[in-house]
Amino acid sequence: MPASSQISPEYVADLEQRLARVEAANTALAEANARLERLLLQSRHARFGPSSEKGDPDQRNLFAEDIEVAEGQLAAAGEAADKALGKAPRQASSTSRNKGRLPEHLERVEEVIEPANTSCPCGCGEMVRVGEDRTERLDVVPARFRVLVTVRPKYMCRACKGTSHAQAPAPEFLVPRGLGTNRFAIHAVVSKFCDYLPFYRQAEIWRREGIEIDRTMLANWAGRVAFHLAPLIDALIDDLKASDHLFADETTVPVLAPRTGKTRKDYLWAVVRDQRGWGGGDPPIVVFQHSRSRSAKTAQEIFRDFQGRQLTVDGYAGYDALSDPKKTNDPWGMAYCWTHWRRRFVEYSRTTPSPICLEMTNRIAQLYRIEAEIRGKAPDVRRAVRQQLSKPIVDALRLWLEGQLDLLSSSSDLARHIRYGLKRWVGLTRFLDDGCIEMDTNAVENAIRPIPLTRKNALFAGNDDGAVTWARMASLIGTCKLNGINPQAYLEHVLDKILNGHMQDDIKSLMPWNFKPNGSKYS
C-alpha cells in the first residue's frame, strides 16, 4: 500500500469500487440466506402447519373438547349428588323444548311410559288422561345387515292340466344372482367416492360383523354401477359443455403403472359451473376428467368441445393456450384468482413480517367485503357496485405496487410475488367488467377438495380405467353435493330407473337437480 502522501485518486476510486462490490455481495448473500430461511420455515409449515390461511374452526375446537367433556362429567356428578340428597331436578322451561328441532323426515318411534298405578289415591276410581308431555331425542341404530329374501309365488290352473300359469317377473338386479342388493352396491360406491372410505376398509368393517365380502367384489359392483350410470354422466358432461362462465382447476391422482409395481402421478381436471354467486338459473355441476399430463395440450383437449368462453382459473400457465388467438380460433376470456395471489403474501408474511404484505391483504379484504354484500345479486347490479366501489381500490393498488417494485430488489421473493399479479392484471381485473365473474376459484377448489381426501385413503388407482371411473363417479356425486342432494338416495333412485328400462332420450329427467328426495337434503 502506498504512503498516505502518495495515495492517488485512481487508487481511492479502485478501493471504493471493490468496497461497493463486497457490499453488494454481502447484500446478495444476506438476501439469499433470508430466502433460504423463509423456504425452510415454509417447508416446515407445509409439513406440520395448518393448510388453510384462516384455519379450520373444528381444528381450533379440538382443544376445547376436553374442557367440554369435563363440563359434562361435572354436570353428571352434580345431578347424581342432587338425586342422592333427594333434591328435585331442575325443571326445564318447557317440556316440549326439543319438539320441532329434529328433521321431519326422520322416523318417529314413540315410547309411552305409563304410571305404575292410575287409580285415584282417594278411592274415586280410575283417573282420566287429560294431557301428556312429549320430548323428542335423537337416536341412532348402528349400521346393521339384513337379508332381503325375494319370493315370487307360482300359480297354475289345475283344470288346464298345467298349461296356464302365472308368476311375477323377477326384478332387475345390478348383479344377477349376486350377493348384494342394489342398495348395498350404491352404499359401497358412496362410501368410497363421497366418504373417502376405500373398499378394503369397507371389507374390514363388514368382516367385524361376520360378513365376508372381498374388496374385489365391492370394486366389481362399483364398475357395474359406473357402467349403468354412464349415459347419465355423459349427459351431465354435455350439459356442462353448453355452459358459459366456468371454473377450472386440477389435482394429482396416483395411478399404478402397469408391470412396474410403482405409481405415477396423473391428474384429475375439474370443471365447475356455479352461478349461485350472480343468481343464474342453471344448477351447479362439477365434472372431473382424468389425464396423464398437466400440459397446455391437455387443457386444449379437455375444453375442445365447450361452447362457453369465460374461464376462471388460478393462473397456471397450462391454461394460457386457451386464450391465445395463435393457438385457438375461438379464444377464451381468462379471469384469474385473487385468493391465489393473496396466498403468496400470506405465506411470505408467515416467515418474514412485511408492511407490504399487510397492506396487500388488507386491500384484498376490502374487495371481498364488497363481494359479500353483492353475492347473489343480478350481474348488472354486481357490475355497477364493482365499478363504483371496487375499481378505485384496484386502480390505486396497482399504482402502489408498481411504486413498491422500485424500492425492492428485483431478485427478492416479494418483488416476484408482486410481478406475479401485475403480469396477470388483465385477468385479475376482468371481474370488474362482468358481474358473472367471481374474484376467485373457490367454487372449484371446494368441489375438488374430496379428491385429495379419497387419494390419501385409497392410496392409488389400480389403472387408467380405475382413474377414469374415479373421475366419473366423483363427477356425479360431487354434482349431487353441489345441489344439496343425498347421493345415496339419488343413486338408488336413478339406478333403479335405468335398470328397469328408463328411456335414453329422456335421460335428462334423471339429472340430480330434478331429483325430488323424500328425505332431507345432503349437508
Side-chain angles (χ1 to χ4, degrees):
M1 177 176 175
S4 60
S5 60
Q6 299 177 352
I7 296 177
S8 65
E10 292 79 6
Y11 182 75
V12 172
D14 181 63
L15 285 178
E16 290 176 346
Q17 290 178 0
R18 291 166 63 183
L19 180 61
R21 287 196 295 269
V22 170
E23 290 178 347
N26 287 337
T27 301
L29 181 61
E31 289 181 354
N33 286 337
R35 183 175 183 181
L36 288 175
E37 289 179 359
R38 282 195 299 274
L39 291 174
L40 178 60
L41 290 173
Q42 289 171 1
S43 175
R44 288 175 178 172
H45 176 82
R47 185 175 181 183
F48 303 110
S51 59
S52 173
E53 297 152 22
K54 61 183 180 180
D56 187 343
D58 290 335
Q59 292 290 331
R60 295 196 298 270
N61 290 337
L62 287 175
F63 301 101
E65 288 182 357
D66 290 339
I67 299 175
E68 292 161 355
V69 169
E71 289 176 351
Q73 291 177 326
L74 180 61
E79 292 165 1
D82 288 342
K83 184 176 181 180
L85 295 173
K87 293 183 179 180
R90 184 177 61 180
Q91 294 293 326
S93 58
S94 171
T95 55
S96 60
R97 59 191 179 279
N98 291 335
K99 189 175 181 180
R101 294 179 57 188
L102 299 175
E104 290 297 327
H105 75 276
L106 295 180
E107 177 189 7
R108 260 63 177 178
V109 179
E110 289 195 2
E111 179 186 27
V112 180
I113 305 176
E114 294 282 1
N117 187 1
T118 57
S119 299
C120 179
C122 302
C124 305
E126 288 291 318
M127 289 184 282
V128 178
R129 180 172 176 172
V130 295
E132 62 183 20
D133 290 339
R134 299 180 71 90
T135 301
E136 292 188 351
R137 297 177 183 272
L138 187 62
D139 189 27
V140 60
V141 178
R144 60 184 181 184
F145 288 96
R146 65 179 185 180
V147 177
L148 184 61
V149 181
T150 301
V151 180
R152 296 187 297 130
K154 296 180 179 180
Y155 295 88
M156 182 179 296
C157 178
R158 295 186 180 277
C160 298
K161 298 182 179 179
T163 58
S164 298
H165 57 86
Q167 185 181 28
E172 292 292 334
F173 293 114
L174 178 69
V175 184
R177 297 179 298 279
L179 180 64
T181 63
N182 297 346
R183 181 183 294 112
F184 199 121
I186 292 297
H187 177 76
V189 169
V190 172
S191 294
K192 176 172 181 177
F193 296 107
C194 183
D195 301 325
Y196 331 121
L197 195 63
F199 292 140
Y200 79 91
R201 291 189 182 177
Q202 295 184 48
E204 290 175 355
I205 293 172
W206 309 143
R207 194 171 293 115
R208 290 200 298 266
E209 300 294 331
I211 307 296
E212 291 292 337
I213 299 181
D214 190 78
R215 62 178 180 81
T216 57
M217 182 181 296
L218 296 176
N220 179 272
W221 295 350
R224 290 171 179 268
V225 170
F227 171 80
H228 287 289
L229 297 182
L232 186 60
I233 300 172
D234 291 339
L236 194 72
I237 296 173
D238 291 341
D239 198 313
L240 180 68
K241 287 182 176 180
S243 306
D244 200 357
H245 291 86
L246 301 172
F247 303 83
D249 200 357
E250 69 289 328
T251 187
T252 59
V253 54
V255 177
L256 188 64
R259 297 178 298 278
T260 66
K262 299 179 180 180
T263 59
R264 64 170 188 265
K265 184 171 69 173
D266 287 7
Y267 293 88
L268 290 187
W269 297 67
V271 185
V272 169
R273 177 181 75 192
D274 192 342
Q275 302 178 353
R276 290 174 292 184
W278 49 274
D282 293 336
I285 294 176
V286 57
V287 165
F288 296 94
Q289 295 196 46
H290 165 257
S291 74
R292 291 194 179 185
S293 170
R294 196 190 179 204
S295 66
K297 183 178 180 181
T298 303
Q300 289 178 293
E301 182 64 29
I302 287 175
F303 288 94
R304 183 181 306 279
D305 298 326
F306 279 73
Q307 299 176 20
R309 281 297 173 265
Q310 182 58 59
L311 191 64
T312 302
V313 295
D314 58 10
Y316 168 55
Y319 295 103
D320 292 348
L322 299 176
S323 61
D324 189 347
K326 297 179 181 179
K327 298 181 179 180
T328 176
N329 295 327
D330 196 1
W332 288 71
M334 307 299 289
Y336 295 126
C337 176
W338 282 80
T339 297
H340 279 77
W341 192 22
R342 174 186 180 275
R343 193 170 295 151
R344 288 171 166 261
F345 295 95
V346 172
E347 293 290 339
Y348 184 93
S349 63
R350 280 177 175 154
T351 57
T352 308
S354 166
I356 295 178
C357 294
L358 181 61
E359 184 69 17
M360 270 295 296
T361 54
N362 286 341
R363 292 294 170 259
I364 295 176
Q366 284 183 322
L367 296 176
Y368 272 101
R369 283 194 290 270
I370 297 171
E371 291 299 302
E373 293 296 325
I374 60 176
R375 179 165 179 79
K377 301 292 181 63
D380 291 344
V381 174
R382 286 158 60 91
R383 181 184 182 279
V385 172
R386 287 169 172 175
Q387 288 289 318
Q388 179 184 358
L389 301 180
S390 301
K391 191 175 187 301
I393 298 174
V394 172
D395 291 343
L397 183 62
R398 178 172 187 174
L399 293 175
W400 179 76
L401 288 171
E402 289 173 342
Q404 296 303 315
L405 279 180
D406 295 335
L407 304 176
L408 294 170
S409 169
S410 60
S411 61
S412 70
D413 287 342
L414 197 52
R416 181 166 54 87
H417 297 331
I418 293 175
R419 288 195 297 269
Y420 170 90
L422 294 179
K423 180 181 178 182
R424 296 165 174 79
W425 194 256
V426 174
L428 283 169
T429 58
R430 196 179 294 273
F431 79 101
L432 296 172
D433 299 313
D434 190 339
C436 299
I437 296 178
E438 300 292 344
M439 274 186 63
D440 51 47
T441 58
N442 288 354
V444 67
E445 286 197 15
N446 292 335
I448 213 171
R449 188 168 291 120
I451 298 299
L453 293 173
T454 305
R455 177 180 65 212
K456 180 178 180 180
N457 291 333
L459 302 183
F460 54 82
N463 50 41
D464 283 2
D465 290 340
V468 170
T469 299
W470 186 345
R472 289 171 66 82
M473 293 308 303
S475 300
L476 194 54
I477 289 177
T479 301
C480 285
K481 294 166 67 175
L482 285 176
N483 286 273
I485 298 299
N486 183 334
Q488 176 77 31
Y490 168 74
L491 294 181
E492 287 181 23
H493 171 77
V494 296
L495 182 62
D496 180 70
K497 287 283 189 181
I498 291 174
L499 288 176
N500 285 280
H502 186 88
M503 300 299 293
Q504 292 291 327
D505 56 3
D506 190 32
I507 198 69
K508 289 191 175 182
S509 66
L510 297 183
M511 289 296 195
W513 49 84
N514 293 325
F515 177 58
K516 304 299 180 183
N518 296 323
S520 66
K521 290 189 174 182
Y522 180 89
S523 59

